PDB file of all heavy atoms in Angstrom:
ATOM      1  N   TRP B   1      -2.108   0.168   2.216  1.00 98.00           N
ATOM      2  CA  TRP B   1      -3.027   1.040   1.425  1.00 98.00           C
ATOM      3  C   TRP B   1      -3.895   0.098   0.676  1.00 98.00           C
ATOM      4  O   TRP B   1      -3.511  -0.764  -0.030  1.00 98.00           O
ATOM      5  CB  TRP B   1      -2.276   1.945   0.616  1.00 98.00           C
ATOM      6  CG  TRP B   1      -1.613   3.071   1.301  1.00 98.00           C
ATOM      7  CD1 TRP B   1      -0.147   3.132   1.699  1.00 98.00           C
ATOM      8  CD2 TRP B   1      -2.066   4.338   1.784  1.00 98.00           C
ATOM      9  NE1 TRP B   1       0.108   4.242   2.293  1.00 98.00           N
ATOM     10  CE2 TRP B   1      -1.130   5.016   2.444  1.00 98.00           C
ATOM     11  CE3 TRP B   1      -3.411   4.808   1.717  1.00 98.00           C
ATOM     12  CZ2 TRP B   1      -1.305   6.273   3.037  1.00 98.00           C
ATOM     13  CZ3 TRP B   1      -3.651   6.124   2.259  1.00 98.00           C
ATOM     14  CH2 TRP B   1      -2.578   6.802   2.982  1.00 98.00           C
ATOM     15  N   TYR B   2      -5.240   0.513   0.714  1.00 98.00           N
ATOM     16  CA  TYR B   2      -6.265  -0.209  -0.149  1.00 98.00           C
ATOM     17  C   TYR B   2      -6.881   0.931  -0.972  1.00 98.00           C
ATOM     18  O   TYR B   2      -6.763   2.120  -0.732  1.00 98.00           O
ATOM     19  CB  TYR B   2      -7.258  -0.897   0.600  1.00 98.00           C
ATOM     20  CG  TYR B   2      -6.906  -2.190   1.278  1.00 98.00           C
ATOM     21  CD1 TYR B   2      -6.091  -2.238   2.469  1.00 98.00           C
ATOM     22  CD2 TYR B   2      -7.473  -3.436   0.878  1.00 98.00           C
ATOM     23  CE1 TYR B   2      -5.703  -3.299   3.077  1.00 98.00           C
ATOM     24  CE2 TYR B   2      -7.068  -4.604   1.560  1.00 98.00           C
ATOM     25  CZ  TYR B   2      -6.211  -4.571   2.620  1.00 98.00           C
ATOM     26  OH  TYR B   2      -5.924  -5.695   3.229  1.00 98.00           O
ATOM     27  N   ARG B   3      -7.493   0.442  -1.924  1.00 98.00           N
ATOM     28  CA  ARG B   3      -8.383   1.352  -2.804  1.00 98.00           C
ATOM     29  C   ARG B   3      -9.590   0.758  -3.335  1.00 98.00           C
ATOM     30  O   ARG B   3      -9.603  -0.478  -3.482  1.00 98.00           O
ATOM     31  CB  ARG B   3      -7.468   1.945  -4.042  1.00 98.00           C
ATOM     32  CG  ARG B   3      -7.143   0.968  -5.082  1.00 98.00           C
ATOM     33  CD  ARG B   3      -6.199   1.589  -6.112  1.00 98.00           C
ATOM     34  NE  ARG B   3      -5.895   0.549  -7.201  1.00 98.00           N
ATOM     35  CZ  ARG B   3      -5.034   0.852  -8.227  1.00 98.00           C
ATOM     36  NH1 ARG B   3      -4.388   2.016  -8.137  1.00 98.00           N
ATOM     37  NH2 ARG B   3      -4.813  -0.078  -9.093  1.00 98.00           N
ATOM     38  N   GLN B   4     -10.574   1.601  -3.647  1.00 98.00           N
ATOM     39  CA  GLN B   4     -11.762   1.083  -4.188  1.00 98.00           C
ATOM     40  C   GLN B   4     -12.324   2.102  -5.190  1.00 98.00           C
ATOM     41  O   GLN B   4     -12.572   3.266  -4.904  1.00 98.00           O
ATOM     42  CB  GLN B   4     -12.866   1.022  -2.988  1.00 98.00           C
ATOM     43  CG  GLN B   4     -14.192   0.277  -3.506  1.00 98.00           C
ATOM     44  CD  GLN B   4     -15.073  -0.151  -2.279  1.00 98.00           C
ATOM     45  OE1 GLN B   4     -14.904   0.333  -1.193  1.00 98.00           O
ATOM     46  NE2 GLN B   4     -15.987  -1.039  -2.505  1.00 98.00           N
ATOM     47  N   ALA B   5     -12.436   1.672  -6.453  1.00 96.00           N
ATOM     48  CA  ALA B   5     -12.944   2.264  -7.587  1.00 96.00           C
ATOM     49  C   ALA B   5     -14.486   2.197  -7.595  1.00 96.00           C
ATOM     50  O   ALA B   5     -15.009   1.128  -7.098  1.00 96.00           O
ATOM     51  CB  ALA B   5     -12.186   1.840  -8.771  1.00 96.00           C
ATOM     52  N   PRO B   6     -15.106   3.156  -8.221  1.00 91.00           N
ATOM     53  CA  PRO B   6     -16.663   3.050  -8.319  1.00 91.00           C
ATOM     54  C   PRO B   6     -17.085   1.674  -8.931  1.00 91.00           C
ATOM     55  O   PRO B   6     -16.501   1.281  -9.968  1.00 91.00           O
ATOM     56  CB  PRO B   6     -16.964   4.160  -9.192  1.00 91.00           C
ATOM     57  CG  PRO B   6     -15.961   5.152  -8.970  1.00 91.00           C
ATOM     58  CD  PRO B   6     -14.597   4.341  -8.844  1.00 91.00           C
ATOM     59  N   GLY B   7     -18.036   0.985  -8.298  1.00 94.00           N
ATOM     60  CA  GLY B   7     -18.542  -0.334  -8.957  1.00 94.00           C
ATOM     61  C   GLY B   7     -17.477  -1.439  -8.673  1.00 94.00           C
ATOM     62  O   GLY B   7     -17.803  -2.584  -9.259  1.00 94.00           O
ATOM     63  N   LYS B   8     -16.456  -1.277  -7.949  1.00 96.00           N
ATOM     64  CA  LYS B   8     -15.429  -2.346  -7.792  1.00 96.00           C
ATOM     65  C   LYS B   8     -15.240  -2.686  -6.342  1.00 96.00           C
ATOM     66  O   LYS B   8     -15.445  -1.836  -5.569  1.00 96.00           O
ATOM     67  CB  LYS B   8     -14.158  -2.045  -8.510  1.00 96.00           C
ATOM     68  CG  LYS B   8     -14.169  -1.884 -10.061  1.00 96.00           C
ATOM     69  CD  LYS B   8     -12.867  -1.791 -10.606  1.00 96.00           C
ATOM     70  CE  LYS B   8     -12.965  -1.722 -12.044  1.00 96.00           C
ATOM     71  NZ  LYS B   8     -11.514  -1.587 -12.741  1.00 96.00           N
ATOM     72  N   GLU B   9     -14.664  -3.834  -6.096  1.00 97.00           N
ATOM     73  CA  GLU B   9     -14.320  -4.249  -4.740  1.00 97.00           C
ATOM     74  C   GLU B   9     -13.184  -3.497  -4.203  1.00 97.00           C
ATOM     75  O   GLU B   9     -12.278  -3.188  -5.155  1.00 97.00           O
ATOM     76  CB  GLU B   9     -14.170  -5.720  -4.646  1.00 97.00           C
ATOM     77  CG  GLU B   9     -15.522  -6.504  -4.892  1.00 97.00           C
ATOM     78  CD  GLU B   9     -15.351  -8.027  -4.509  1.00 97.00           C
ATOM     79  OE1 GLU B   9     -14.166  -8.484  -4.323  1.00 97.00           O
ATOM     80  OE2 GLU B   9     -16.320  -8.747  -4.554  1.00 97.00           O
ATOM     81  N   ARG B  10     -12.916  -3.340  -3.028  1.00 97.00           N
ATOM     82  CA  ARG B  10     -11.784  -2.902  -2.390  1.00 97.00           C
ATOM     83  C   ARG B  10     -10.589  -3.803  -2.619  1.00 97.00           C
ATOM     84  O   ARG B  10     -10.797  -5.039  -2.455  1.00 97.00           O
ATOM     85  CB  ARG B  10     -11.975  -2.579  -0.884  1.00 97.00           C
ATOM     86  CG  ARG B  10     -10.866  -1.856  -0.298  1.00 97.00           C
ATOM     87  CD  ARG B  10     -11.191  -1.468   1.184  1.00 97.00           C
ATOM     88  NE  ARG B  10     -12.419  -0.634   1.342  1.00 97.00           N
ATOM     89  CZ  ARG B  10     -12.872  -0.039   2.386  1.00 97.00           C
ATOM     90  NH1 ARG B  10     -12.132  -0.095   3.513  1.00 97.00           N
ATOM     91  NH2 ARG B  10     -13.950   0.681   2.356  1.00 97.00           N
ATOM     92  N   GLU B  11      -9.511  -3.307  -2.992  1.00 98.00           N
ATOM     93  CA  GLU B  11      -8.342  -4.051  -3.344  1.00 98.00           C
ATOM     94  C   GLU B  11      -7.117  -3.455  -2.613  1.00 98.00           C
ATOM     95  O   GLU B  11      -6.895  -2.235  -2.503  1.00 98.00           O
ATOM     96  CB  GLU B  11      -8.021  -4.267  -4.823  1.00 98.00           C
ATOM     97  CG  GLU B  11      -7.756  -2.846  -5.487  1.00 98.00           C
ATOM     98  CD  GLU B  11      -7.305  -2.968  -6.860  1.00 98.00           C
ATOM     99  OE1 GLU B  11      -7.328  -4.059  -7.467  1.00 98.00           O
ATOM    100  OE2 GLU B  11      -7.026  -1.882  -7.481  1.00 98.00           O
ATOM    101  N   VAL B  12      -6.290  -4.415  -2.192  1.00 98.00           N
ATOM    102  CA  VAL B  12      -4.957  -4.007  -1.509  1.00 98.00           C
ATOM    103  C   VAL B  12      -4.008  -3.365  -2.647  1.00 98.00           C
ATOM    104  O   VAL B  12      -3.856  -4.004  -3.750  1.00 98.00           O
ATOM    105  CB  VAL B  12      -4.253  -5.192  -0.734  1.00 98.00           C
ATOM    106  CG1 VAL B  12      -3.911  -6.377  -1.793  1.00 98.00           C
ATOM    107  CG2 VAL B  12      -3.120  -4.672   0.095  1.00 98.00           C
ATOM    108  N   VAL B  13      -3.421  -2.380  -2.265  1.00 98.00           N
ATOM    109  CA  VAL B  13      -2.363  -1.645  -3.209  1.00 98.00           C
ATOM    110  C   VAL B  13      -1.074  -2.006  -2.765  1.00 98.00           C
ATOM    111  O   VAL B  13      -0.169  -2.327  -3.659  1.00 98.00           O
ATOM    112  CB  VAL B  13      -2.709  -0.144  -3.112  1.00 98.00           C
ATOM    113  CG1 VAL B  13      -1.713   0.596  -4.010  1.00 98.00           C
ATOM    114  CG2 VAL B  13      -4.073   0.126  -3.704  1.00 98.00           C
ATOM    115  N   ALA B  14      -0.723  -1.864  -1.511  1.00 98.00           N
ATOM    116  CA  ALA B  14       0.639  -1.977  -0.938  1.00 98.00           C
ATOM    117  C   ALA B  14       0.566  -2.386   0.579  1.00 98.00           C
ATOM    118  O   ALA B  14      -0.274  -1.715   1.269  1.00 98.00           O
ATOM    119  CB  ALA B  14       1.506  -0.781  -1.277  1.00 98.00           C
ATOM    120  N   THR B  15       1.492  -3.166   0.979  1.00 98.00           N
ATOM    121  CA  THR B  15       1.641  -3.363   2.502  1.00 98.00           C
ATOM    122  C   THR B  15       3.040  -3.131   2.763  1.00 98.00           C
ATOM    123  O   THR B  15       4.108  -3.277   2.018  1.00 98.00           O
ATOM    124  CB  THR B  15       1.264  -4.771   2.789  1.00 98.00           C
ATOM    125  OG1 THR B  15       2.023  -5.719   2.031  1.00 98.00           O
ATOM    126  CG2 THR B  15      -0.236  -5.086   2.460  1.00 98.00           C
ATOM    127  N   ILE B  16       3.189  -2.978   4.137  1.00 98.00           N
ATOM    128  CA  ILE B  16       4.523  -2.691   4.771  1.00 98.00           C
ATOM    129  C   ILE B  16       4.342  -3.310   6.235  1.00 98.00           C
ATOM    130  O   ILE B  16       3.535  -2.924   7.010  1.00 98.00           O
ATOM    131  CB  ILE B  16       5.024  -1.218   4.733  1.00 98.00           C
ATOM    132  CG1 ILE B  16       6.533  -1.149   5.287  1.00 98.00           C
ATOM    133  CG2 ILE B  16       4.013  -0.350   5.447  1.00 98.00           C
ATOM    134  CD1 ILE B  16       7.131   0.225   4.955  1.00 98.00           C
ATOM    135  N   THR B  17       5.423  -4.143   6.528  1.00 98.00           N
ATOM    136  CA  THR B  17       5.360  -4.848   7.831  1.00 98.00           C
ATOM    137  C   THR B  17       6.185  -4.006   8.859  1.00 98.00           C
ATOM    138  O   THR B  17       6.879  -3.074   8.502  1.00 98.00           O
ATOM    139  CB  THR B  17       5.992  -6.177   7.732  1.00 98.00           C
ATOM    140  OG1 THR B  17       7.404  -6.074   7.346  1.00 98.00           O
ATOM    141  CG2 THR B  17       5.344  -7.117   6.596  1.00 98.00           C
ATOM    142  N   PRO B  18       6.100  -4.390  10.063  1.00 97.00           N
ATOM    143  CA  PRO B  18       6.851  -3.715  11.100  1.00 97.00           C
ATOM    144  C   PRO B  18       8.502  -3.758  10.777  1.00 97.00           C
ATOM    145  O   PRO B  18       9.262  -2.868  11.192  1.00 97.00           O
ATOM    146  CB  PRO B  18       6.609  -4.439  12.376  1.00 97.00           C
ATOM    147  CG  PRO B  18       5.337  -4.840  12.205  1.00 97.00           C
ATOM    148  CD  PRO B  18       5.207  -5.306  10.747  1.00 97.00           C
ATOM    149  N   SER B  19       8.845  -4.887  10.123  1.00 96.00           N
ATOM    150  CA  SER B  19      10.263  -4.988   9.760  1.00 96.00           C
ATOM    151  C   SER B  19      10.579  -4.250   8.496  1.00 96.00           C
ATOM    152  O   SER B  19      11.628  -4.417   7.773  1.00 96.00           O
ATOM    153  CB  SER B  19      10.613  -6.461   9.662  1.00 96.00           C
ATOM    154  OG  SER B  19       9.915  -7.057   8.664  1.00 96.00           O
ATOM    155  N   VAL B  20       9.595  -3.571   7.874  1.00 96.00           N
ATOM    156  CA  VAL B  20       9.699  -2.691   6.679  1.00 96.00           C
ATOM    157  C   VAL B  20       9.784  -3.623   5.435  1.00 96.00           C
ATOM    158  O   VAL B  20      10.421  -3.105   4.487  1.00 96.00           O
ATOM    159  CB  VAL B  20      10.871  -1.700   6.764  1.00 96.00           C
ATOM    160  CG1 VAL B  20      10.668  -0.476   5.785  1.00 96.00           C
ATOM    161  CG2 VAL B  20      10.970  -1.086   8.103  1.00 96.00           C
ATOM    162  N   SER B  21       9.235  -4.666   5.535  1.00 98.00           N
ATOM    163  CA  SER B  21       9.125  -5.474   4.258  1.00 98.00           C
ATOM    164  C   SER B  21       7.954  -5.122   3.478  1.00 98.00           C
ATOM    165  O   SER B  21       6.798  -4.845   4.033  1.00 98.00           O
ATOM    166  CB  SER B  21       8.954  -6.975   4.586  1.00 98.00           C
ATOM    167  OG  SER B  21       8.647  -7.743   3.426  1.00 98.00           O
ATOM    168  N   THR B  22       7.953  -4.849   2.174  1.00 98.00           N
ATOM    169  CA  THR B  22       6.973  -4.301   1.400  1.00 98.00           C
ATOM    170  C   THR B  22       6.396  -5.227   0.335  1.00 98.00           C
ATOM    171  O   THR B  22       7.128  -6.225  -0.063  1.00 98.00           O
ATOM    172  CB  THR B  22       7.389  -2.989   0.756  1.00 98.00           C
ATOM    173  OG1 THR B  22       8.479  -3.319  -0.137  1.00 98.00           O
ATOM    174  CG2 THR B  22       7.828  -1.941   1.735  1.00 98.00           C
ATOM    175  N   ASN B  23       5.323  -5.048  -0.027  1.00 98.00           N
ATOM    176  CA  ASN B  23       4.577  -5.824  -1.065  1.00 98.00           C
ATOM    177  C   ASN B  23       3.704  -5.056  -1.892  1.00 98.00           C
ATOM    178  O   ASN B  23       2.945  -4.125  -1.268  1.00 98.00           O
ATOM    179  CB  ASN B  23       3.928  -6.928  -0.496  1.00 98.00           C
ATOM    180  CG  ASN B  23       3.536  -8.100  -1.587  1.00 98.00           C
ATOM    181  OD1 ASN B  23       4.234  -8.284  -2.614  1.00 98.00           O
ATOM    182  ND2 ASN B  23       2.587  -9.019  -1.291  1.00 98.00           N
ATOM    183  N   TYR B  24       3.568  -5.231  -3.189  1.00 98.00           N
ATOM    184  CA  TYR B  24       2.765  -4.298  -3.933  1.00 98.00           C
ATOM    185  C   TYR B  24       1.841  -5.153  -4.988  1.00 98.00           C
ATOM    186  O   TYR B  24       2.168  -6.239  -5.358  1.00 98.00           O
ATOM    187  CB  TYR B  24       3.595  -3.459  -4.991  1.00 98.00           C
ATOM    188  CG  TYR B  24       4.480  -2.415  -4.139  1.00 98.00           C
ATOM    189  CD1 TYR B  24       5.742  -2.926  -3.816  1.00 98.00           C
ATOM    190  CD2 TYR B  24       3.998  -1.207  -3.925  1.00 98.00           C
ATOM    191  CE1 TYR B  24       6.487  -1.939  -2.940  1.00 98.00           C
ATOM    192  CE2 TYR B  24       4.730  -0.373  -3.074  1.00 98.00           C
ATOM    193  CZ  TYR B  24       6.087  -0.745  -2.781  1.00 98.00           C
ATOM    194  OH  TYR B  24       6.818   0.148  -1.956  1.00 98.00           O
ATOM    195  N   ALA B  25       0.669  -4.554  -5.294  1.00 98.00           N
ATOM    196  CA  ALA B  25      -0.122  -5.134  -6.262  1.00 98.00           C
ATOM    197  C   ALA B  25       0.518  -4.992  -7.613  1.00 98.00           C
ATOM    198  O   ALA B  25       1.257  -4.041  -7.943  1.00 98.00           O
ATOM    199  CB  ALA B  25      -1.544  -4.425  -6.452  1.00 98.00           C
ATOM    200  N   ASP B  26       0.406  -6.021  -8.445  1.00 98.00           N
ATOM    201  CA  ASP B  26       1.051  -6.010  -9.838  1.00 98.00           C
ATOM    202  C   ASP B  26       0.783  -4.735 -10.563  1.00 98.00           C
ATOM    203  O   ASP B  26       1.612  -4.293 -11.321  1.00 98.00           O
ATOM    204  CB  ASP B  26       0.615  -7.198 -10.543  1.00 98.00           C
ATOM    205  CG  ASP B  26       1.253  -8.476 -10.136  1.00 98.00           C
ATOM    206  OD1 ASP B  26       2.094  -8.496  -9.321  1.00 98.00           O
ATOM    207  OD2 ASP B  26       0.755  -9.516 -10.472  1.00 98.00           O
ATOM    208  N   SER B  27      -0.424  -4.131 -10.369  1.00 97.00           N
ATOM    209  CA  SER B  27      -0.884  -2.969 -11.125  1.00 97.00           C
ATOM    210  C   SER B  27      -0.033  -1.726 -10.860  1.00 97.00           C
ATOM    211  O   SER B  27      -0.054  -0.627 -11.546  1.00 97.00           O
ATOM    212  CB  SER B  27      -2.335  -2.762 -10.966  1.00 97.00           C
ATOM    213  OG  SER B  27      -2.630  -2.651  -9.608  1.00 97.00           O
ATOM    214  N   VAL B  28       0.549  -1.640  -9.641  1.00 98.00           N
ATOM    215  CA  VAL B  28       1.205  -0.549  -9.191  1.00 98.00           C
ATOM    216  C   VAL B  28       2.702  -0.648  -9.109  1.00 98.00           C
ATOM    217  O   VAL B  28       3.439   0.295  -8.698  1.00 98.00           O
ATOM    218  CB  VAL B  28       0.724   0.134  -7.988  1.00 98.00           C
ATOM    219  CG1 VAL B  28      -0.891   0.256  -7.966  1.00 98.00           C
ATOM    220  CG2 VAL B  28       0.957  -0.850  -6.646  1.00 98.00           C
ATOM    221  N   LYS B  29       3.243  -1.874  -9.235  1.00 98.00           N
ATOM    222  CA  LYS B  29       4.654  -2.180  -8.937  1.00 98.00           C
ATOM    223  C   LYS B  29       5.531  -1.323  -9.873  1.00 98.00           C
ATOM    224  O   LYS B  29       5.124  -1.059 -11.063  1.00 98.00           O
ATOM    225  CB  LYS B  29       4.982  -3.673  -9.401  1.00 98.00           C
ATOM    226  CG  LYS B  29       4.729  -4.565  -8.246  1.00 98.00           C
ATOM    227  CD  LYS B  29       5.036  -6.040  -8.651  1.00 98.00           C
ATOM    228  CE  LYS B  29       4.653  -6.988  -7.358  1.00 98.00           C
ATOM    229  NZ  LYS B  29       5.010  -8.320  -7.749  1.00 98.00           N
ATOM    230  N   GLY B  30       6.534  -0.651  -9.406  1.00 98.00           N
ATOM    231  CA  GLY B  30       7.471   0.274 -10.097  1.00 98.00           C
ATOM    232  C   GLY B  30       6.891   1.656 -10.251  1.00 98.00           C
ATOM    233  O   GLY B  30       7.590   2.530 -10.616  1.00 98.00           O
ATOM    234  N   ARG B  31       5.718   1.872  -9.840  1.00 98.00           N
ATOM    235  CA  ARG B  31       5.140   3.229  -9.853  1.00 98.00           C
ATOM    236  C   ARG B  31       4.845   3.908  -8.481  1.00 98.00           C
ATOM    237  O   ARG B  31       4.936   4.844  -8.238  1.00 98.00           O
ATOM    238  CB  ARG B  31       3.789   3.262 -10.659  1.00 98.00           C
ATOM    239  CG  ARG B  31       4.032   2.802 -12.036  1.00 98.00           C
ATOM    240  CD  ARG B  31       2.723   3.115 -12.969  1.00 98.00           C
ATOM    241  NE  ARG B  31       1.618   2.315 -12.370  1.00 98.00           N
ATOM    242  CZ  ARG B  31       0.448   2.882 -11.937  1.00 98.00           C
ATOM    243  NH1 ARG B  31       0.309   4.087 -12.003  1.00 98.00           N
ATOM    244  NH2 ARG B  31      -0.611   2.158 -11.533  1.00 98.00           N
ATOM    245  N   PHE B  32       4.397   2.940  -7.507  1.00 98.00           N
ATOM    246  CA  PHE B  32       4.155   3.365  -6.228  1.00 98.00           C
ATOM    247  C   PHE B  32       5.087   2.836  -5.179  1.00 98.00           C
ATOM    248  O   PHE B  32       5.638   1.826  -5.427  1.00 98.00           O
ATOM    249  CB  PHE B  32       2.691   2.803  -5.749  1.00 98.00           C
ATOM    250  CG  PHE B  32       1.492   3.377  -6.542  1.00 98.00           C
ATOM    251  CD1 PHE B  32       1.561   4.213  -7.635  1.00 98.00           C
ATOM    252  CD2 PHE B  32       0.135   2.995  -6.043  1.00 98.00           C
ATOM    253  CE1 PHE B  32       0.510   4.681  -8.274  1.00 98.00           C
ATOM    254  CE2 PHE B  32      -0.794   3.506  -6.739  1.00 98.00           C
ATOM    255  CZ  PHE B  32      -0.755   4.362  -7.811  1.00 98.00           C
ATOM    256  N   THR B  33       5.283   3.697  -4.115  1.00 98.00           N
ATOM    257  CA  THR B  33       6.132   3.286  -3.074  1.00 98.00           C
ATOM    258  C   THR B  33       5.521   3.473  -1.727  1.00 98.00           C
ATOM    259  O   THR B  33       5.075   4.689  -1.323  1.00 98.00           O
ATOM    260  CB  THR B  33       7.510   3.974  -3.178  1.00 98.00           C
ATOM    261  OG1 THR B  33       8.132   3.842  -4.384  1.00 98.00           O
ATOM    262  CG2 THR B  33       8.381   3.703  -1.986  1.00 98.00           C
ATOM    263  N   ILE B  34       5.399   2.504  -0.890  1.00 98.00           N
ATOM    264  CA  ILE B  34       4.859   2.492   0.398  1.00 98.00           C
ATOM    265  C   ILE B  34       5.981   2.726   1.480  1.00 98.00           C
ATOM    266  O   ILE B  34       7.119   2.145   1.198  1.00 98.00           O
ATOM    267  CB  ILE B  34       4.008   1.422   0.823  1.00 98.00           C
ATOM    268  CG1 ILE B  34       3.207   1.600   2.123  1.00 98.00           C
ATOM    269  CG2 ILE B  34       4.875   0.016   0.832  1.00 98.00           C
ATOM    270  CD1 ILE B  34       2.208   0.424   2.292  1.00 98.00           C
ATOM    271  N   SER B  35       5.898   3.522   2.363  1.00 98.00           N
ATOM    272  CA  SER B  35       6.942   3.811   3.516  1.00 98.00           C
ATOM    273  C   SER B  35       6.194   4.240   4.774  1.00 98.00           C
ATOM    274  O   SER B  35       5.052   4.454   4.760  1.00 98.00           O
ATOM    275  CB  SER B  35       7.797   4.863   3.085  1.00 98.00           C
ATOM    276  OG  SER B  35       7.163   5.989   2.885  1.00 98.00           O
ATOM    277  N   ARG B  36       7.010   4.214   5.836  1.00 98.00           N
ATOM    278  CA  ARG B  36       6.462   4.502   7.126  1.00 98.00           C
ATOM    279  C   ARG B  36       7.457   5.117   7.909  1.00 98.00           C
ATOM    280  O   ARG B  36       8.716   5.039   7.842  1.00 98.00           O
ATOM    281  CB  ARG B  36       5.928   3.267   7.957  1.00 98.00           C
ATOM    282  CG  ARG B  36       7.061   2.304   8.175  1.00 98.00           C
ATOM    283  CD  ARG B  36       6.520   0.933   8.639  1.00 98.00           C
ATOM    284  NE  ARG B  36       5.737   1.005   9.906  1.00 98.00           N
ATOM    285  CZ  ARG B  36       4.869   0.044  10.243  1.00 98.00           C
ATOM    286  NH1 ARG B  36       4.719  -1.057   9.518  1.00 98.00           N
ATOM    287  NH2 ARG B  36       4.226   0.249  11.309  1.00 98.00           N
ATOM    288  N   ASP B  37       6.990   6.066   8.860  1.00 98.00           N
ATOM    289  CA  ASP B  37       7.801   6.836   9.755  1.00 98.00           C
ATOM    290  C   ASP B  37       7.149   6.470  11.178  1.00 98.00           C
ATOM    291  O   ASP B  37       6.370   7.109  11.566  1.00 98.00           O
ATOM    292  CB  ASP B  37       7.800   8.313   9.480  1.00 98.00           C
ATOM    293  CG  ASP B  37       8.845   9.069  10.300  1.00 98.00           C
ATOM    294  OD1 ASP B  37       9.083   8.730  11.511  1.00 98.00           O
ATOM    295  OD2 ASP B  37       9.137  10.121   9.910  1.00 98.00           O
ATOM    296  N   ASN B  38       7.836   5.591  11.865  1.00 97.00           N
ATOM    297  CA  ASN B  38       7.277   5.021  13.174  1.00 97.00           C
ATOM    298  C   ASN B  38       7.444   6.234  14.119  1.00 97.00           C
ATOM    299  O   ASN B  38       6.501   6.408  15.006  1.00 97.00           O
ATOM    300  CB  ASN B  38       8.174   3.902  13.620  1.00 97.00           C
ATOM    301  CG  ASN B  38       7.765   2.635  12.772  1.00 97.00           C
ATOM    302  OD1 ASN B  38       6.700   2.591  12.221  1.00 97.00           O
ATOM    303  ND2 ASN B  38       8.574   1.675  12.912  1.00 97.00           N
ATOM    304  N   ALA B  39       8.419   7.119  14.099  1.00 97.00           N
ATOM    305  CA  ALA B  39       8.617   8.207  15.059  1.00 97.00           C
ATOM    306  C   ALA B  39       7.281   9.222  14.814  1.00 97.00           C
ATOM    307  O   ALA B  39       6.890   9.799  15.883  1.00 97.00           O
ATOM    308  CB  ALA B  39       9.805   8.817  14.869  1.00 97.00           C
ATOM    309  N   LYS B  40       6.880   9.365  13.645  1.00 98.00           N
ATOM    310  CA  LYS B  40       5.772  10.282  13.493  1.00 98.00           C
ATOM    311  C   LYS B  40       4.442   9.582  13.283  1.00 98.00           C
ATOM    312  O   LYS B  40       3.373  10.255  13.217  1.00 98.00           O
ATOM    313  CB  LYS B  40       5.997  10.957  12.125  1.00 98.00           C
ATOM    314  CG  LYS B  40       7.195  11.998  12.161  1.00 98.00           C
ATOM    315  CD  LYS B  40       7.388  12.701  10.754  1.00 98.00           C
ATOM    316  CE  LYS B  40       8.561  13.781  10.713  1.00 98.00           C
ATOM    317  NZ  LYS B  40       8.458  14.515   9.483  1.00 98.00           N
ATOM    318  N   LYS B  41       4.494   8.281  13.557  1.00 98.00           N
ATOM    319  CA  LYS B  41       3.351   7.495  13.417  1.00 98.00           C
ATOM    320  C   LYS B  41       2.545   7.686  12.176  1.00 98.00           C
ATOM    321  O   LYS B  41       1.359   7.963  12.054  1.00 98.00           O
ATOM    322  CB  LYS B  41       2.318   7.632  14.535  1.00 98.00           C
ATOM    323  CG  LYS B  41       2.925   7.123  15.843  1.00 98.00           C
ATOM    324  CD  LYS B  41       1.947   7.156  17.022  1.00 98.00           C
ATOM    325  CE  LYS B  41       2.429   6.570  18.305  1.00 98.00           C
ATOM    326  NZ  LYS B  41       1.371   6.362  19.398  1.00 98.00           N
ATOM    327  N   THR B  42       3.225   7.683  10.965  1.00 98.00           N
ATOM    328  CA  THR B  42       2.711   8.063   9.725  1.00 98.00           C
ATOM    329  C   THR B  42       3.070   7.130   8.679  1.00 98.00           C
ATOM    330  O   THR B  42       4.230   6.704   8.521  1.00 98.00           O
ATOM    331  CB  THR B  42       3.132   9.505   9.308  1.00 98.00           C
ATOM    332  OG1 THR B  42       2.671  10.385  10.300  1.00 98.00           O
ATOM    333  CG2 THR B  42       2.492   9.997   7.995  1.00 98.00           C
TER     334      THR B  42
END
């Protein structure tokens, strides 16, 4: 997930690998959770 605020560059918010390893921007750590459902492709 990326985000872009008005007048700012696009920035990465969170990533998740095929092995379900996750990483978060410092600004969202502890508040946001990324997840995936491969069966639903979502």
Side-chain angles (χ1 to χ4, degrees):
W1 288 99
Y2 285 73
R3 67 185 181 187
Q4 187 168 18
K8 295 187 176 181
E9 292 188 355
R10 191 173 297 189
E11 62 175 0
V12 62
V13 174
T15 62
I16 185 166
T17 68
S19 61
V20 202
S21 175
T22 59
N23 197 24
Y24 296 91
D26 287 343
S27 59
V28 307
K29 279 181 182 176
R31 300 188 298 122
F32 291 10
T33 302
I34 189 171
S35 62
R36 65 192 299 162
D37 185 331
N38 290 338
K40 295 182 178 180
K41 293 190 175 183
T42 302

